[in-house]
Amino acid sequence: MPLKKLEHVGIQVKDLDTTIEFYTRVLGLELLEKQDHVDPKLKLAFLGFSDSDETVIELISGYNPNLPTEGKVHHIAFTVENIEEEIARVKEHGVTFVDENITTLPSGAKYVFFNGPDGEWIELFQK
């Protein structure tokens, strides 16, 4: 049975509301749903794009707030049309870049990383 699509990326976070606010304000994602888990310590939130009801990111709070910054999920990449414009836009939100230099691959694709509220790496990727 072949894979059909990426369902979502799960990110463990310290503060669910702070992270929801960051991903909606800075990246423009939309909160699709917030819910409890069968484990009462856990809270979940699902984020996606406004033109789709598909989940892109699942935020999980209450699991383990002491995970390393760079863990099993190295980064989350979002496609952008103009990387320079997006860098300028997210800078207005005071984000911290891992390295402000844009990397250009042999294919011509460009990318740059910045940190989310829990230190997770977020990539802006231009084909």
Side-chain angles (χ1 to χ4, degrees):
M1 174 169 27
L3 298 176
K4 295 184 180 185
K5 69 179 184 86
L6 175 67
E7 179 62 31
H8 64 263
V9 175
I11 303 173
Q12 297 178 72
V13 302
K14 293 177 187 171
D15 183 308
L16 195 62
D17 292 325
T18 297
T19 305
I20 290 169
E21 195 273 335
F22 177 87
Y23 277 85
T24 56
R25 180 177 52 86
V26 176
L27 294 175
L29 293 176
E30 187 173 287
L31 175 62
L32 302 175
E33 181 181 2
K34 235 174 139 173
Q35 64 177 257
D36 293 327
H37 188 273
V38 293
D39 180 339
K41 294 181 285 189
L42 301 180
K43 302 290 181 205
L44 307 175
F46 299 91
L47 305 171
F49 296 104
S50 62
D51 60 350
S52 171
D53 63 351
E54 291 190 34
T55 298
V56 176
I57 295 175
E58 174 189 14
L59 303 175
I60 308 157
S61 71
Y63 183 72
N64 180 355
N66 300 313
L67 291 174
T69 298
E70 185 180 351
K72 298 291 183 188
V73 175
H74 181 268
H75 67 274
I76 304 163
F78 294 95
T79 302
V80 298
E81 290 184 22
N82 185 312
I83 196 165
E84 289 84 2
E85 287 178 9
E86 282 302 303
I87 289 170
R89 190 185 69 76
V90 299
K91 277 185 177 180
E92 293 175 4
H93 295 279
V95 302
T96 302
F97 282 81
V98 175
D99 179 352
E100 288 197 39
N101 294 316
I102 297 171
T103 300
T104 303
L105 299 173
S107 66
K110 300 175 183 182
Y111 69 89
V112 67
F113 292 106
F114 65 95
N115 295 114
D118 281 281
E120 70 275 21
W121 286 18
I122 300 170
E123 177 183 347
L124 300 176
F125 185 85
Q126 179 183 324
K127 291 183 180 182

mmCIF file of all heavy atoms in Angstrom, residues 83-124:
data_model
loop_
_atom_site.group_PDB
_atom_site.id
_atom_site.type_symbol
_atom_site.label_atom_id
_atom_site.label_comp_id
_atom_site.label_asym_id
_atom_site.label_seq_id
_atom_site.Cartn_x
_atom_site.Cartn_y
_atom_site.Cartn_z
ATOM 1 N N ILE A 83 10.898 34.463 -1.251
ATOM 2 C CA ILE A 83 11.516 34.241 0.056
ATOM 3 C C ILE A 83 11.976 35.542 0.710
ATOM 4 O O ILE A 83 11.843 35.715 1.916
ATOM 5 C CB ILE A 83 12.655 33.203 -0.042
ATOM 6 C CG1 ILE A 83 13.026 32.687 1.351
ATOM 7 C CG2 ILE A 83 13.844 33.761 -0.794
ATOM 8 C CD1 ILE A 83 13.869 31.433 1.341
ATOM 9 N N GLU A 84 12.497 36.464 -0.079
ATOM 10 C CA GLU A 84 12.968 37.729 0.487
ATOM 11 C C GLU A 84 11.808 38.508 1.113
ATOM 12 O O GLU A 84 11.952 39.074 2.203
ATOM 13 C CB GLU A 84 13.679 38.577 -0.579
ATOM 14 C CG GLU A 84 15.028 38.026 -1.012
ATOM 15 C CD GLU A 84 14.957 36.948 -2.098
ATOM 16 O OE1 GLU A 84 13.838 36.635 -2.573
ATOM 17 O OE2 GLU A 84 16.016 36.410 -2.452
ATOM 18 N N GLU A 85 10.659 38.550 0.438
ATOM 19 C CA GLU A 85 9.482 39.242 0.991
ATOM 20 C C GLU A 85 8.992 38.567 2.273
ATOM 21 O O GLU A 85 8.622 39.239 3.234
ATOM 22 C CB GLU A 85 8.349 39.285 -0.032
ATOM 23 C CG GLU A 85 8.582 40.254 -1.163
ATOM 24 C CD GLU A 85 7.444 40.244 -2.191
ATOM 25 O OE1 GLU A 85 6.392 39.603 -1.940
ATOM 26 O OE2 GLU A 85 7.624 40.885 -3.245
ATOM 27 N N GLU A 86 9.000 37.233 2.290
ATOM 28 C CA GLU A 86 8.546 36.515 3.485
ATOM 29 C C GLU A 86 9.502 36.701 4.652
ATOM 30 O O GLU A 86 9.073 36.816 5.802
ATOM 31 C CB GLU A 86 8.344 35.028 3.183
ATOM 32 C CG GLU A 86 7.060 34.742 2.453
ATOM 33 C CD GLU A 86 5.832 35.231 3.220
ATOM 34 O OE1 GLU A 86 5.623 34.822 4.381
ATOM 35 O OE2 GLU A 86 5.086 36.045 2.651
ATOM 36 N N ILE A 87 10.801 36.752 4.366
ATOM 37 C CA ILE A 87 11.775 37.011 5.433
ATOM 38 C C ILE A 87 11.495 38.377 6.049
ATOM 39 O O ILE A 87 11.443 38.522 7.270
ATOM 40 C CB ILE A 87 13.217 36.918 4.900
ATOM 41 C CG1 ILE A 87 13.564 35.469 4.590
ATOM 42 C CG2 ILE A 87 14.203 37.527 5.890
ATOM 43 C CD1 ILE A 87 14.876 35.283 3.835
ATOM 44 N N ALA A 88 11.290 39.377 5.209
ATOM 45 C CA ALA A 88 10.997 40.722 5.711
ATOM 46 C C ALA A 88 9.710 40.720 6.529
ATOM 47 O O ALA A 88 9.632 41.361 7.589
ATOM 48 C CB ALA A 88 10.888 41.703 4.545
ATOM 49 N N ARG A 89 8.694 39.985 6.067
ATOM 50 C CA ARG A 89 7.405 39.952 6.770
ATOM 51 C C ARG A 89 7.523 39.287 8.140
ATOM 52 O O ARG A 89 7.052 39.818 9.139
ATOM 53 C CB ARG A 89 6.358 39.222 5.924
ATOM 54 C CG ARG A 89 4.945 39.347 6.475
ATOM 55 C CD ARG A 89 3.957 38.518 5.692
ATOM 56 N NE ARG A 89 4.174 37.089 5.876
ATOM 57 C CZ ARG A 89 3.826 36.402 6.971
ATOM 58 N NH1 ARG A 89 3.275 37.006 7.993
ATOM 59 N NH2 ARG A 89 4.060 35.112 7.047
ATOM 60 N N VAL A 90 8.198 38.127 8.218
ATOM 61 C CA VAL A 90 8.293 37.450 9.518
ATOM 62 C C VAL A 90 9.231 38.189 10.469
ATOM 63 O O VAL A 90 9.054 38.117 11.685
ATOM 64 C CB VAL A 90 8.661 35.948 9.404
ATOM 65 C CG1 VAL A 90 7.604 35.190 8.620
ATOM 66 C CG2 VAL A 90 10.032 35.725 8.831
ATOM 67 N N LYS A 91 10.205 38.932 9.930
ATOM 68 C CA LYS A 91 11.071 39.745 10.790
ATOM 69 C C LYS A 91 10.263 40.786 11.563
ATOM 70 O O LYS A 91 10.616 41.150 12.681
ATOM 71 C CB LYS A 91 12.151 40.454 9.962
ATOM 72 C CG LYS A 91 13.346 39.604 9.663
ATOM 73 C CD LYS A 91 14.416 40.421 8.943
ATOM 74 C CE LYS A 91 15.657 39.605 8.702
ATOM 75 N NZ LYS A 91 16.688 40.387 8.005
ATOM 76 N N GLU A 92 9.178 41.262 10.964
ATOM 77 C CA GLU A 92 8.318 42.236 11.641
ATOM 78 C C GLU A 92 7.713 41.663 12.919
ATOM 79 O O GLU A 92 7.261 42.400 13.778
ATOM 80 C CB GLU A 92 7.200 42.694 10.705
ATOM 81 C CG GLU A 92 7.675 43.500 9.526
ATOM 82 C CD GLU A 92 6.566 43.834 8.545
ATOM 83 O OE1 GLU A 92 5.389 43.497 8.806
ATOM 84 O OE2 GLU A 92 6.882 44.419 7.487
ATOM 85 N N HIS A 93 7.702 40.341 13.044
ATOM 86 C CA HIS A 93 7.147 39.677 14.221
ATOM 87 C C HIS A 93 8.224 39.330 15.237
ATOM 88 O O HIS A 93 7.953 38.648 16.226
ATOM 89 C CB HIS A 93 6.390 38.414 13.800
ATOM 90 C CG HIS A 93 5.194 38.706 12.959
ATOM 91 N ND1 HIS A 93 3.989 39.109 13.477
ATOM 92 C CD2 HIS A 93 5.032 38.684 11.612
ATOM 93 C CE1 HIS A 93 3.132 39.303 12.494
ATOM 94 N NE2 HIS A 93 3.733 39.066 11.356
ATOM 95 N N GLY A 94 9.451 39.769 14.981
ATOM 96 C CA GLY A 94 10.528 39.576 15.944
ATOM 97 C C GLY A 94 11.058 38.154 16.037
ATOM 98 O O GLY A 94 11.596 37.781 17.077
ATOM 99 N N VAL A 95 10.918 37.364 14.987
ATOM 100 C CA VAL A 95 11.416 35.993 15.038
ATOM 101 C C VAL A 95 12.942 35.977 15.036
ATOM 102 O O VAL A 95 13.580 36.938 14.607
ATOM 103 C CB VAL A 95 10.879 35.130 13.875
ATOM 104 C CG1 VAL A 95 9.369 35.081 13.874
ATOM 105 C CG2 VAL A 95 11.416 35.595 12.536
ATOM 106 N N THR A 96 13.510 34.889 15.523
ATOM 107 C CA THR A 96 14.951 34.700 15.542
ATOM 108 C C THR A 96 15.325 33.708 14.451
ATOM 109 O O THR A 96 14.792 32.595 14.416
ATOM 110 C CB THR A 96 15.410 34.146 16.908
ATOM 111 O OG1 THR A 96 14.996 35.054 17.927
ATOM 112 C CG2 THR A 96 16.913 33.959 16.950
ATOM 113 N N PHE A 97 16.229 34.114 13.575
ATOM 114 C CA PHE A 97 16.664 33.240 12.497
ATOM 115 C C PHE A 97 17.805 32.347 12.970
ATOM 116 O O PHE A 97 18.672 32.789 13.724
ATOM 117 C CB PHE A 97 17.109 34.059 11.278
ATOM 118 C CG PHE A 97 15.946 34.580 10.484
ATOM 119 C CD1 PHE A 97 15.276 35.725 10.880
ATOM 120 C CD2 PHE A 97 15.499 33.895 9.365
ATOM 121 C CE1 PHE A 97 14.188 36.192 10.167
ATOM 122 C CE2 PHE A 97 14.409 34.347 8.641
ATOM 123 C CZ PHE A 97 13.751 35.499 9.044
ATOM 124 N N VAL A 98 17.795 31.090 12.522
ATOM 125 C CA VAL A 98 18.891 30.173 12.808
ATOM 126 C C VAL A 98 20.137 30.703 12.109
ATOM 127 O O VAL A 98 21.223 30.728 12.681
ATOM 128 C CB VAL A 98 18.540 28.739 12.332
ATOM 129 C CG1 VAL A 98 19.719 27.799 12.522
ATOM 130 C CG2 VAL A 98 17.310 28.225 13.085
ATOM 131 N N ASP A 99 19.971 31.138 10.875
ATOM 132 C CA ASP A 99 21.016 31.777 10.078
ATOM 133 C C ASP A 99 20.275 32.639 9.061
ATOM 134 O O ASP A 99 19.457 32.123 8.311
ATOM 135 C CB ASP A 99 21.866 30.713 9.373
ATOM 136 C CG ASP A 99 22.968 31.302 8.507
ATOM 137 O OD1 ASP A 99 23.021 32.539 8.311
ATOM 138 O OD2 ASP A 99 23.792 30.519 8.000
ATOM 139 N N GLU A 100 20.522 33.931 9.051
ATOM 140 C CA GLU A 100 19.783 34.829 8.165
ATOM 141 C C GLU A 100 20.188 34.714 6.702
ATOM 142 O O GLU A 100 19.529 35.268 5.833
ATOM 143 C CB GLU A 100 19.907 36.278 8.640
ATOM 144 C CG GLU A 100 19.117 36.519 9.902
ATOM 145 C CD GLU A 100 18.883 37.991 10.173
ATOM 146 O OE1 GLU A 100 18.625 38.755 9.222
ATOM 147 O OE2 GLU A 100 18.960 38.370 11.352
ATOM 148 N N ASN A 101 21.283 33.998 6.416
ATOM 149 C CA ASN A 101 21.697 33.825 5.030
ATOM 150 C C ASN A 101 20.779 32.834 4.328
ATOM 151 O O ASN A 101 20.505 31.756 4.846
ATOM 152 C CB ASN A 101 23.139 33.317 4.958
ATOM 153 C CG ASN A 101 24.115 34.347 5.490
ATOM 154 O OD1 ASN A 101 24.012 35.527 5.188
ATOM 155 N ND2 ASN A 101 25.056 33.897 6.300
ATOM 156 N N ILE A 102 20.326 33.200 3.152
ATOM 157 C CA ILE A 102 19.501 32.306 2.340
ATOM 158 C C ILE A 102 20.423 31.295 1.671
ATOM 159 O O ILE A 102 21.435 31.668 1.079
ATOM 160 C CB ILE A 102 18.728 33.112 1.267
ATOM 161 C CG1 ILE A 102 17.753 34.088 1.939
ATOM 162 C CG2 ILE A 102 17.999 32.166 0.319
ATOM 163 C CD1 ILE A 102 17.119 35.068 0.967
ATOM 164 N N THR A 103 20.062 30.024 1.788
ATOM 165 C CA THR A 103 20.805 28.965 1.104
ATOM 166 C C THR A 103 20.136 28.705 -0.235
ATOM 167 O O THR A 103 18.920 28.548 -0.303
ATOM 168 C CB THR A 103 20.806 27.673 1.945
ATOM 169 O OG1 THR A 103 21.422 27.951 3.205
ATOM 170 C CG2 THR A 103 21.551 26.554 1.234
ATOM 171 N N THR A 104 20.940 28.661 -1.300
ATOM 172 C CA THR A 104 20.426 28.337 -2.629
ATOM 173 C C THR A 104 20.993 26.994 -3.055
ATOM 174 O O THR A 104 22.215 26.813 -3.108
ATOM 175 C CB THR A 104 20.806 29.427 -3.654
ATOM 176 O OG1 THR A 104 20.311 30.695 -3.197
ATOM 177 C CG2 THR A 104 20.212 29.120 -5.020
ATOM 178 N N LEU A 105 20.107 26.049 -3.346
ATOM 179 C CA LEU A 105 20.502 24.712 -3.761
ATOM 180 C C LEU A 105 20.886 24.704 -5.242
ATOM 181 O O LEU A 105 20.527 25.621 -5.981
ATOM 182 C CB LEU A 105 19.343 23.738 -3.515
ATOM 183 C CG LEU A 105 18.898 23.602 -2.063
ATOM 184 C CD1 LEU A 105 17.650 22.741 -1.975
ATOM 185 C CD2 LEU A 105 20.012 23.009 -1.214
ATOM 186 N N PRO A 106 21.602 23.671 -5.695
ATOM 187 C CA PRO A 106 21.956 23.586 -7.116
ATOM 188 C C PRO A 106 20.735 23.658 -8.046
ATOM 189 O O PRO A 106 20.846 24.134 -9.172
ATOM 190 C CB PRO A 106 22.658 22.227 -7.224
ATOM 191 C CG PRO A 106 23.218 21.993 -5.858
ATOM 192 C CD PRO A 106 22.209 22.595 -4.919
ATOM 193 N N SER A 107 19.583 23.236 -7.569
ATOM 194 C CA SER A 107 18.365 23.284 -8.380
ATOM 195 C C SER A 107 17.821 24.700 -8.527
ATOM 196 O O SER A 107 16.908 24.945 -9.308
ATOM 197 C CB SER A 107 17.286 22.420 -7.731
ATOM 198 O OG SER A 107 16.901 22.985 -6.479
ATOM 199 N N GLY A 108 18.351 25.634 -7.718
ATOM 200 C CA GLY A 108 17.843 27.002 -7.709
ATOM 201 C C GLY A 108 16.868 27.263 -6.578
ATOM 202 O O GLY A 108 16.514 28.409 -6.315
ATOM 203 N N ALA A 109 16.425 26.208 -5.894
ATOM 204 C CA ALA A 109 15.535 26.383 -4.741
ATOM 205 C C ALA A 109 16.292 27.107 -3.632
ATOM 206 O O ALA A 109 17.510 26.942 -3.479
ATOM 207 C CB ALA A 109 15.030 25.033 -4.250
ATOM 208 N N LYS A 110 15.568 27.918 -2.867
ATOM 209 C CA LYS A 110 16.166 28.703 -1.790
ATOM 210 C C LYS A 110 15.446 28.396 -0.481
ATOM 211 O O LYS A 110 14.243 28.142 -0.484
ATOM 212 C CB LYS A 110 16.009 30.199 -2.065
ATOM 213 C CG LYS A 110 16.640 30.685 -3.336
ATOM 214 C CD LYS A 110 16.311 32.150 -3.534
ATOM 215 C CE LYS A 110 16.848 32.685 -4.841
ATOM 216 N NZ LYS A 110 16.558 34.115 -4.976
ATOM 217 N N TYR A 111 16.204 28.459 0.616
ATOM 218 C CA TYR A 111 15.560 28.280 1.911
ATOM 219 C C TYR A 111 16.304 29.017 3.011
ATOM 220 O O TYR A 111 17.471 29.364 2.885
ATOM 221 C CB TYR A 111 15.407 26.796 2.261
ATOM 222 C CG TYR A 111 16.703 26.074 2.558
ATOM 223 C CD1 TYR A 111 17.220 26.043 3.850
ATOM 224 C CD2 TYR A 111 17.395 25.409 1.561
ATOM 225 C CE1 TYR A 111 18.395 25.368 4.132
ATOM 226 C CE2 TYR A 111 18.567 24.732 1.832
ATOM 227 C CZ TYR A 111 19.064 24.717 3.123
ATOM 228 O OH TYR A 111 20.228 24.064 3.406
ATOM 229 N N VAL A 112 15.573 29.235 4.121
ATOM 230 C CA VAL A 112 16.119 29.846 5.319
ATOM 231 C C VAL A 112 15.315 29.313 6.504
ATOM 232 O O VAL A 112 14.134 28.990 6.363
ATOM 233 C CB VAL A 112 16.070 31.397 5.240
ATOM 234 C CG1 VAL A 112 14.649 31.903 5.256
ATOM 235 C CG2 VAL A 112 16.901 32.044 6.329
ATOM 236 N N PHE A 113 15.958 29.198 7.670
ATOM 237 C CA PHE A 113 15.301 28.703 8.877
ATOM 238 C C PHE A 113 15.158 29.812 9.917
ATOM 239 O O PHE A 113 16.062 30.624 10.086
ATOM 240 C CB PHE A 113 16.120 27.585 9.532
ATOM 241 C CG PHE A 113 16.190 26.321 8.747
ATOM 242 C CD1 PHE A 113 17.355 25.966 8.088
ATOM 243 C CD2 PHE A 113 15.099 25.461 8.682
ATOM 244 C CE1 PHE A 113 17.439 24.779 7.372
ATOM 245 C CE2 PHE A 113 15.171 24.277 7.971
ATOM 246 C CZ PHE A 113 16.341 23.935 7.322
ATOM 247 N N PHE A 114 14.029 29.785 10.649
ATOM 248 C CA PHE A 114 13.880 30.616 11.835
ATOM 249 C C PHE A 114 13.215 29.792 12.921
ATOM 250 O O PHE A 114 12.726 28.693 12.668
ATOM 251 C CB PHE A 114 13.119 31.921 11.546
ATOM 252 C CG PHE A 114 11.687 31.750 11.133
ATOM 253 C CD1 PHE A 114 10.660 31.821 12.063
ATOM 254 C CD2 PHE A 114 11.355 31.555 9.798
ATOM 255 C CE1 PHE A 114 9.341 31.677 11.674
ATOM 256 C CE2 PHE A 114 10.044 31.427 9.402
ATOM 257 C CZ PHE A 114 9.026 31.488 10.345
ATOM 258 N N ASN A 115 13.238 30.310 14.154
ATOM 259 C CA ASN A 115 12.718 29.560 15.292
ATOM 260 C C ASN A 115 11.272 29.899 15.604
ATOM 261 O O ASN A 115 10.886 31.063 15.569
ATOM 262 C CB ASN A 115 13.544 29.845 16.556
ATOM 263 C CG ASN A 115 14.964 29.359 16.424
ATOM 264 O OD1 ASN A 115 15.882 30.149 16.413
ATOM 265 N ND2 ASN A 115 15.149 28.060 16.304
ATOM 266 N N GLY A 116 10.522 28.850 15.964
ATOM 267 C CA GLY A 116 9.184 29.021 16.503
ATOM 268 C C GLY A 116 9.276 29.268 18.000
ATOM 269 O O GLY A 116 10.382 29.331 18.563
ATOM 270 N N PRO A 117 8.142 29.395 18.682
ATOM 271 C CA PRO A 117 8.148 29.764 20.101
ATOM 272 C C PRO A 117 8.771 28.733 21.029
ATOM 273 O O PRO A 117 9.181 29.060 22.132
ATOM 274 C CB PRO A 117 6.673 29.983 20.428
ATOM 275 C CG PRO A 117 5.927 29.259 19.382
ATOM 276 C CD PRO A 117 6.788 29.274 18.160
ATOM 277 N N ASP A 118 8.871 27.471 20.624
ATOM 278 C CA ASP A 118 9.512 26.444 21.441
ATOM 279 C C ASP A 118 10.884 26.065 20.901
ATOM 280 O O ASP A 118 11.432 25.025 21.239
ATOM 281 C CB ASP A 118 8.624 25.202 21.544
ATOM 282 C CG ASP A 118 7.518 25.390 22.557
ATOM 283 O OD1 ASP A 118 7.799 25.253 23.759
ATOM 284 O OD2 ASP A 118 6.383 25.714 22.153
ATOM 285 N N GLY A 119 11.441 26.906 20.012
ATOM 286 C CA GLY A 119 12.757 26.637 19.455
ATOM 287 C C GLY A 119 12.730 25.722 18.248
ATOM 288 O O GLY A 119 13.773 25.400 17.695
ATOM 289 N N GLU A 120 11.534 25.298 17.835
ATOM 290 C CA GLU A 120 11.449 24.442 16.651
ATOM 291 C C GLU A 120 11.889 25.214 15.421
ATOM 292 O O GLU A 120 11.730 26.415 15.364
ATOM 293 C CB GLU A 120 10.022 23.879 16.461
ATOM 294 C CG GLU A 120 8.968 24.877 16.054
ATOM 295 C CD GLU A 120 8.329 25.635 17.199
ATOM 296 O OE1 GLU A 120 8.920 25.721 18.298
ATOM 297 O OE2 GLU A 120 7.238 26.176 16.988
ATOM 298 N N TRP A 121 12.479 24.514 14.472
ATOM 299 C CA TRP A 121 12.954 25.161 13.250
ATOM 300 C C TRP A 121 11.826 25.202 12.232
ATOM 301 O O TRP A 121 11.191 24.178 11.951
ATOM 302 C CB TRP A 121 14.128 24.403 12.661
ATOM 303 C CG TRP A 121 15.427 24.583 13.406
ATOM 304 C CD1 TRP A 121 15.604 25.041 14.684
ATOM 305 C CD2 TRP A 121 16.717 24.281 12.908
ATOM 306 N NE1 TRP A 121 16.925 25.051 14.999
ATOM 307 C CE2 TRP A 121 17.639 24.583 13.923
ATOM 308 C CE3 TRP A 121 17.176 23.777 11.714
ATOM 309 C CZ2 TRP A 121 19.006 24.403 13.774
ATOM 310 C CZ3 TRP A 121 18.550 23.599 11.550
ATOM 311 C CH2 TRP A 121 19.452 23.910 12.578
ATOM 312 N N ILE A 122 11.608 26.376 11.667
ATOM 313 C CA ILE A 122 10.612 26.581 10.608
ATOM 314 C C ILE A 122 11.370 27.046 9.374
ATOM 315 O O ILE A 122 12.207 27.948 9.459
ATOM 316 C CB ILE A 122 9.563 27.612 11.032
ATOM 317 C CG1 ILE A 122 8.842 27.122 12.300
ATOM 318 C CG2 ILE A 122 8.576 27.876 9.897
ATOM 319 C CD1 ILE A 122 7.960 28.169 12.946
ATOM 320 N N GLU A 123 11.095 26.405 8.242
ATOM 321 C CA GLU A 123 11.799 26.718 7.014
ATOM 322 C C GLU A 123 10.869 27.422 6.034
ATOM 323 O O GLU A 123 9.728 26.993 5.828
ATOM 324 C CB GLU A 123 12.312 25.427 6.364
ATOM 325 C CG GLU A 123 13.000 25.631 5.033
ATOM 326 C CD GLU A 123 13.423 24.325 4.389
ATOM 327 O OE1 GLU A 123 13.412 23.269 5.051
ATOM 328 O OE2 GLU A 123 13.787 24.362 3.207
ATOM 329 N N LEU A 124 11.364 28.503 5.437
ATOM 330 C CA LEU A 124 10.707 29.128 4.299
ATOM 331 C C LEU A 124 11.415 28.568 3.080
ATOM 332 O O LEU A 124 12.653 28.625 2.990
ATOM 333 C CB LEU A 124 10.841 30.638 4.357
ATOM 334 C CG LEU A 124 10.239 31.319 5.585
ATOM 335 C CD1 LEU A 124 10.531 32.822 5.555
ATOM 336 C CD2 LEU A 124 8.743 31.069 5.669
#
